[in-house]
Amino acid sequence: GRTWLVTGDGSHQLTLNELAVMGRYDVTPVIFVLNNGLYGVEDVISERGHGYDDLAPVRYHLLPEALGCKGWLSLRVCTVAELDAALDAIDAHDGAAYVEVLIPGEESQPLPGEVIDRGYKVQTPVVG
């Protein structure tokens, strides 16, 4: 079967160079990059509001070609209808597929800010 990967944009920035390896060795995964423009796990495990949690505006769907991946289906989707069309295109495509899914930041954090802040304060040791 095909290997499917669903990853966030923050995590993917740590490993995106592996696309070049996949292209070099003709690996044919299906990759979905959920792009909300922020390193969201940091909101949960660290203090909120640091500028380094905001990611550079990478156009991920262009990476496979830029990294030498030949014959990859590479798409960028913004709506559920576009995602449905992308899934149909993947089914019809024999090679690798790479789909950037744009997600508004305000829709990507499942926990309210006050819950995250409370959890951070509980986990932070008091010094003094």
Side-chain angles (χ1 to χ4, degrees):
R2 291 170 101 175
T3 298
W4 287 60
L5 169 66
V6 178
T7 185
D9 51 344
S11 175
H12 195 51
Q13 284 197 8
L14 297 172
T15 60
L16 60 85
N17 59 316
E18 292 301 317
L19 292 174
V21 175
M22 292 176 201
R24 180 178 180 188
Y25 292 104
D26 295 321
V27 177
T28 58
V30 175
I31 300 173
F32 287 85
V33 179
L34 306 180
N35 182 357
N36 62 2
L38 56 96
Y39 195 47
V41 72
E42 284 289 322
D43 264 357
V44 176
I45 64 172
S46 181
E47 188 174 13
R48 294 168 14 107
H50 293 289
Y52 57 76
D53 291 338
D54 298 328
L55 300 176
V58 174
R59 297 177 70 196
Y60 292 94
H61 69 290
L62 301 176
L63 291 176
E65 183 178 350
L67 294 171
C69 300
K70 298 194 184 330
W72 283 40
L73 174 67
S74 190
L75 304 166
R76 182 182 228 192
V77 302
C78 301
T79 66
V80 172
E82 291 174 351
L83 180 59
D84 284 341
L87 291 169
D88 289 340
I90 290 167
D91 283 342
H93 185 72
D94 288 335
Y98 187 92
V99 181
E100 176 183 6
V101 181
L102 296 176
I103 301 172
E106 64 273 7
E107 293 181 14
S108 63
Q109 184 51 265
L111 298 173
E114 61 273 5
V115 172
I116 294 170
D117 289 340
R118 192 173 334 117
Y120 171 74
K121 289 176 181 139
V122 168
Q123 300 297 326
T124 304
V126 177
V127 179

